[in-house]
Each structure stands twice: as C-alpha cells, then as structure tokens.
C-alpha cells in the first residue's frame, strides 16, 4: 500500500511540517520505501517533484521537508509498490490537462481488473493500476462534459459516482485536484484536520518535531491537512467515512457525500 | 526556443553553480520564461522537478540553485514555448522506461511535421513536438532492438541516424540519458566544457557568482557541463558541431559523430 498527504488552505502555506512526518514513513517508521512525489499548487499553477528513492533516505525529500515553499493545495504520496516497478514513470502524483487546468492525482490501494477500464483520450505512461484509474476518471469527465467544465456541485456528484464504481474493484483512497479544489475519496483510510484560530502547538507522531502554529499563522488562516494516518500525536483528527467523497476548497469542506 | 543544460561527471557533483546561470535566463537575462525542469541521476536512479513558472521567479528554482544535491548526470531545460501551452505536462524533461532504465530527454528547437512521426509503444501526454519526437526515438529503439539493449557504440550510431533524420524537420538540439551516458545532439547551438585538475575559478555570465572549483573537487574529478550558450565568462567552451552527436560518460567523450 501507500500513504497520502494533502493540504487545502485559504492562504499560501508551507507543508514542510506535515511532510516531515510523512517522509519518515517512507522507509524508517513505515514501509513505504518505493519512491515519493509531491505536487504543489499556487495560484492554480502546479509544480511537481518525483523521486523513486525511499523518502526517508532521499536528499531531495530532506530539502523539501526543510524548505517552506508556500502553496494553496498539496498532494503528496509515498509508495509501497504493488503493481508496476519502482521507477520514475510509476511515481505518483500523476498529472494531465483537462479544461485548461492541470489535474494532479495520487492513489493508495489496489484495483482488481483495472486493465479493463476503457480508456480513450488519456493514456498511462507507466504501468500502475493507479495511473490507469486516473486516466479513466479524466476520460469519463471529458466524455460526459466535453469542453464545458460543470459546476463544482455537478462535478463532485459525478466524481462520487466514478469513485464509487472504482471502490467495487478494491481499495481506492485517492486525492485529486485541479488547483482550485481538493477531491478526496476514501475506501479504507483517510484522516483530516482543519486548523484555524485559535491555533495551537502540534507534535509529529513520527519525528521529534513540534510546531506552534500560532507563531506562523494569522487569525484568518484556515488550513486543512488530509493524511492516510494522523500525522500528529496531540491533535484530534477526523476519520473520513468509508465510501465517502469529501471536497475541500480554501481549507473548508465544500461538498461531502457517502454511502450512508 | 529554449535553453538546455546537461552534466556528466565521474563523481557525484552538484549542478547549483551552472543552474544559477541557466535559471537567470528564464525570465531575467533571457526570454525563456515558460517553465523549467530538471532531472538528476545518481546511481542510475533519477529524480525530477517540473515547474511551469519562469525559473528566474520560481521559489523552487531558487531552492535548487542553492542546494548542493550531488548527481552523476543532469538534464535541465528552460522553456520558451512554441508548440504546446505553458503547463506541467508540457514542461521538459520528459521520461519513459526502456530496457529497465528510465530515459530522460529535453529538446531545444522546433520540428516541422512532427505530427507525422509514427508512434507505436510510446505516446505523449502533453502537446509539444518535443515530447512526440522523444516518443518516436524510444519507439524506434524498441522496434530495432527489442528487449535486448545494444552496445553503447551500436546504440550511439543508431541514435545518430535517428537524430540526423529529425534535423531534416527543423531545429533539434537535444539531450537524452539512460542514467549511464548523456547523448547530446546539436543542430544549431550547444557548447560544452570539461573541467578536470588543475581546477580553476569560474564566474557566471548571467549572475555575479564565482566558484573556485579547486575548493570543491579532488584531483580525480572529471565534470563536463553542456549548455546551449556558455554559462561562464572566464573559461573557453567548445562549440558542438552542427549535425553532431556527442556522447558523454563519466565526464568523458566516449562517442562522437557528425556530418563532416
């Protein structure tokens, strides 16, 4: 399996504290040593890093855990390979263009029969079931809405349909973004926390690192962090519902649907 | 057009000095403001960074120009878009798997009729002529040699044939690597310099930055840097021949062919 980390914030915010915790699980406190990647959006433009090395040992991951690059949305992933070799083209997150925006996606889980997902416009370059499912999702969106991007509500409802379909094939925890919203779907494990004033101190579970968010925020900041497992030991994280889609925008939940 | 930067070294070496020079040309001392990217190999494994922002303004490029990550081979690119929007999937370098290795490629130039290049196994995810030519090259290699990687001599000769064919379509300055060798083809502009003992001081042309290589090397180090335009003002760079393929391995020229 793998672990996911996401962030949605209403002001450009750095991810280095949370990434330090995630990074340790990539070969030190966790077994997810088959590469890591990160996509960071600011003002809807995204930059990305991909490294097939264990994040715990990676010099590049060390740089990223110490560098306070500010962004609005982050999707990061540490991999424990099931399907597909350990190599750059199989390293999440994946990206493609749709409706003039760069969509980024990462997946935790495994899908049975993903090779039967019919593809049209989008094709994988690697050999993971994850990338194939991403290509299928974007292909479905393009087929349904053509060049015309639907409203966030309509889009989220249809994404819920698509992701619920993929849930039938196995484990499908995923994060997807167009640079505006962060779409998170959970079939087994995703946790999230929204930090806002009054901010407090937090301590990582995987590293001996604390941060007092009061010192690095203003009263207006709203920052949501989503992760496979809670990253801090002294905060209460929400568990996402199994079979639930949760959409975050500027740090707030803007759409939620689940099977219950 | 765009600018390219490559490095081949016999010991893990950082690229931050040269990248600082290149980076300035991405929107400050040069017009190549449509994104930048970098792939860095160490021990044949590669990590990559892609950013559609101007490198001169990019926080991520600032990080990379100050971080001394050591690597054996580097391919970096700053883009001035001709074909294809400014977006992450169109940002060089591109990568694909062949013969169990990750191949990385970046291109400077423009190709007429690149849409007529017949593709089979490899397909682009972006919309640049550059990525299409890369897919075509790897497809030709796979078709010619199947699963069996040929010797470097045979591979280089066939690459020379392929790249000479692409030269007929326009400007094709390119860098390609499998993590072992760095293949550079020149139709208009590529310069290179090999630094070895006795090392000297060098000063960037585009930034007020100098380095005394004596202080950061040993007598055994051999480091070749290849760039569209010379990056330093106090060293003599070699100009690559028009229509020439030059292959570097561990900092040394190991294959050279041109039309003359």
């Amino acid at each position: 399996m793998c672990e996911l980390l996401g962030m949605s914030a209403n002001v450009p915010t750095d991810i280095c504290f949370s990434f330090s915790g995630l990074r340790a699980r990539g070969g030190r406190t966790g077994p997810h040593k088959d590469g890591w990647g990160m996509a960071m959006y600011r003002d809807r433009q995204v930059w990305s890093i991909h490294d097939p090395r264990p994040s715990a040992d990676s010099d590049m991951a060390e740089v990223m855990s110490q560098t306070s690059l500010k962004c609005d949305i982050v999707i990061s992933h540490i991999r424990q390979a099931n399907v597909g070799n350990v190599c750059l083209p199989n390293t999440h997150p994946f990206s493609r263009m749709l409706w003039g925006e760069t969509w980024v996606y990462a997946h935790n889980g495994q899908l049975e029969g993903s090779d039967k997902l019919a593809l049209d416009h989008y094709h994988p370059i690697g050999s993971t079931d994850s990338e194939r499912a991403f290509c299928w999702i974007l292909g479905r969106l393009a087929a349904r809405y053509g060049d015309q991007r639907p409203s966030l509500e309509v889009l989220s409802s249809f994404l819920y349909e698509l992701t619920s379909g993929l849930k039938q094939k196995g484990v499908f925890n995923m994060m997807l973004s167009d640079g505006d919203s962060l779409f998170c779907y959970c079939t087994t494990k995703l946790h999230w926390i929204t930090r806002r004033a009054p901010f407090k101190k937090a301590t990582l579970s995987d590293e001996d690192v604390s941060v007092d968010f009061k010192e690095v925020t203003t009263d207006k900041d709203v920052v949501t962090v989503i992760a496979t497992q809670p990253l801090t030991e002294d905060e209460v994280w929400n568990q996402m519902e199994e079979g639930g889609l949760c959409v975050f925008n500027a740090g707030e939940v803007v759409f939620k649907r689940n099977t219950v």
Side-chain angles (χ1 to χ4, degrees), chain A:
Chain A
M1 292 298 188
C2 312
E3 291 207 21
L4 292 162
L5 168 65
M7 186 192 80
S8 165
N10 69 344
V11 285
T13 301
D14 78 64
I15 191 72
C16 52
F17 174 71
S18 298
F19 181 69
S20 295
L22 181 79
R23 184 192 165 211
R25 299 178 184 174
R28 200 166 60 75
T29 60
H32 317 282
K33 59 175 179 38
D34 298 325
W36 64 280
M38 176 145 43
M40 307 168 90
Y41 285 97
R42 191 163 59 206
D43 302 330
R44 303 183 82 114
Q45 263 199 328
V46 61
W47 69 93
S48 70
I49 301 168
H50 294 88
D51 187 354
R53 287 178 183 75
S55 55
D57 301 335
S58 158
D59 292 353
M60 188 69 218
E62 173 73 17
V63 169
M64 292 315 297
S65 65
Q66 292 181 359
T67 303
S68 49
L69 291 169
K70 308 275 187 197
C71 34
D72 311 315
I73 296 178
V74 172
I75 293 180
S76 184
H77 181 270
I78 54 175
R79 184 167 181 233
Q80 189 178 12
N82 290 308
V83 180
N85 295 340
V86 178
C87 63
L88 197 67
N90 287 345
T91 305
H92 305 224
F94 304 106
S95 63
R96 294 291 188 283
M97 297 302 292
L98 174 65
W99 301 320
E101 305 286 352
T102 304
W103 290 69
V104 163
Y105 154 103
H107 166 225
N108 149 232
Q110 199 165 353
L111 298 170
E112 286 288 320
S114 63
D115 53 327
K116 296 195 182 69
L117 290 169
L119 304 181
D120 35 44
H121 189 57
Y122 298 92
H123 292 270
I125 60 170
S127 52
T128 63
D129 51 351
S130 304
E131 189 187 12
R132 193 171 174 98
F134 175 46
C135 291
W136 179 79
I137 290 173
L138 290 198
R140 292 298 81 207
L141 293 179
R144 167 77 73 111
Y145 302 110
D147 294 339
Q148 200 60 43
R149 184 199 172 93
S151 70
L152 182 58
E153 172 81 21
V154 169
L155 176 62
S156 299
S157 295
F158 187 51
L159 271 174
Y160 176 73
E161 264 182 56
L162 295 175
T163 48
S164 301
L166 290 170
K167 178 173 182 281
Q168 307 306 316
K169 294 184 181 297
V171 177
F172 191 67
N173 303 301
M174 74 105 198
M175 294 183 182
L176 173 73
S177 181
D178 59 351
D180 185 50
S181 300
L182 177 61
F183 304 86
C184 300
Y185 185 75
C186 173
T187 64
T188 53
K189 265 190 220 163
L190 274 182
H191 295 80
W192 59 282
I193 188 166
T194 299
R195 298 182 183 122
R196 63 176 89 228
F199 288 98
K200 291 176 189 160
K201 192 181 150 188
T203 307
L204 289 179
S205 314
D206 296 75
E207 289 278 358
D208 189 17
V209 176
S210 297
V211 64
D212 189 343
F213 288 116
K214 267 201 307 290
E215 293 170 6
V216 290
T217 51
T218 73
D219 277 358
K220 292 181 180 164
D221 296 7
V222 179
V223 181
T224 293
V225 174
I226 307 106
T228 299
Q229 296 283 10
L231 290 164
T232 54
E233 60 184 22
D234 45 6
E235 295 178 301
V236 179
W237 290 63
N238 307 289
Q239 183 156 6
M240 220 172 272
E241 290 88 354
E242 191 181 311
L245 179 75
C246 201
V247 183
F248 300 91
N249 191 296
E252 305 283 3
V253 177
V254 293
F255 180 96
K256 208 170 176 183
R257 186 163 299 173
N258 62 54
T259 43
V260 185

